[in-house]
Amino acid sequence: EPEVTQTPSHQVTQMGQEVILRCVPISNHLYFYWYRQILGQKVEFLVSFYNNEISEKSEIFDDQFSVERPDGSNFTLKIRSTKLEDSAMYFCASSEGGGLGYTFGSGTRLTVV
Amino acid sequence: KQEVTQIPAALSVPEGENLVLNCSFTDSAIYNLQWFRQDPGKGLTSLLLIQSSQREQTSGRLNASLDKSSGRSTLYIAASQPGDSATYLCAVQGGSEKLVFGKGTKLTVNP
């Protein structure tokens, strides 16, 4: 069964450093997403990406965050200057769109120290 | 603004029991509802997807129902097993592509 692949599985970074989280969505999917889950809290939407541009973003997705699809397979989330409160599990997901459901990756656990 | 609530927050049952997990949402204008399973520290595994025009979906021992007008869904697990122990998340997709999640029900099935 097709999978969404995320790397790395764990990342520890110092406050103020830039991090890039990487994802390979399912190849025939059209929509790509990033979500995050702070420990003990709900899974929260960050951003959706369609047709090489951001289609929707949440209030969490401020100027510190950016997304990119640098080639035909990868989808990345960059956090420019990490804060302690950015520590969370970050999930990438993809979908065909049209309400056909999501497939999530296994997540990247980001710890900012 | 869509809000999703899951009750109970935690549930502990003996092996073999049938059980029901509940999900409610405030805005009935949804495209679909999806149930996920999350093991500790792991990703989200999709269990069942119910389109807004459907009433229920079944997969093995799992059955999910949707009552869009009342803003409710239930996940029924038959003959529970210790391997079913996990957190079960309900998520709805409304007028955009994003999902809104509940906080989940943590299920423990005791041998």
Side-chain angles (χ1 to χ4, degrees), chain B:
Chain B
K1 181 185 171 187
Q2 181 73 269
E3 297 283 345
V4 179
T5 304
Q6 291 187 246
I7 294 172
L11 182 62
S12 181
V13 300
E15 182 177 2
E17 193 160 297
N18 302 326
L19 58 101
V20 174
L21 308 181
N22 296 291
C23 171
S24 61
F25 46 96
T26 54
D27 185 350
S28 61
I30 63 169
Y31 283 150
N32 61 49
L33 183 145
Q34 201 163 354
W35 283 93
F36 294 90
R37 169 185 171 137
Q38 184 176 31
D39 292 285
K42 303 294 185 184
L44 307 178
T45 301
S46 179
L47 298 173
L48 289 164
L49 169 70
I50 312 177
Q51 302 288 352
S52 61
S53 58
Q54 297 173 323
R55 298 286 296 191
E56 66 178 330
Q57 283 287 331
T58 298
S59 175
R61 295 182 293 107
L62 304 180
N63 175 275
S65 67
L66 174 64
D67 184 342
K68 206 175 81 156
S69 61
S70 68
R72 296 180 188 276
S73 175
T74 61
L75 179 66
Y76 175 83
I77 302 177
S80 58
Q81 301 170 358
D84 295 331
S85 298
T87 296
Y88 290 80
L89 301 176
C90 166
V92 298
Q93 182 179 356
S96 67
E97 286 293 325
K98 75 178 185 186
L99 290 179
V100 178
F101 281 83
K103 203 169 179 185
T105 294
K106 184 176 180 181
L107 174 66
T108 303
V109 181
N110 301 299

Side-chain angles (χ1 to χ4, degrees), chain A residues 34-97:
Chain A
W34 286 100
Y35 285 75
R36 80 172 185 190
Q37 185 179 34
I38 295 171
L39 189 63
Q41 297 189 23
K42 291 185 180 185
V43 177
E44 303 173 286
F45 169 77
L46 292 178
V47 65
S48 60
F49 192 86
Y50 171 72
N51 201 25
N52 285 318
E53 62 183 22
I54 291 174
S55 52
E56 188 175 356
K57 61 183 180 179
S58 71
E59 315 82 62
I60 304 167
F61 194 88
D62 61 21
D63 293 344
Q64 295 297 313
F65 292 90
S66 62
V67 290
E68 192 177 32
R69 188 152 162 84
D71 53 43
S73 58
N74 290 284
F75 180 51
T76 62
L77 174 69
K78 182 192 291 187
I79 309 175
R80 258 179 273 283
S81 177
T82 49
K83 307 179 191 123
L84 295 176
E85 55 265 36
D86 294 327
S87 296
M89 182 77 98
Y90 287 81
F91 293 110
C92 175
S94 67
S95 78
E96 294 177 74

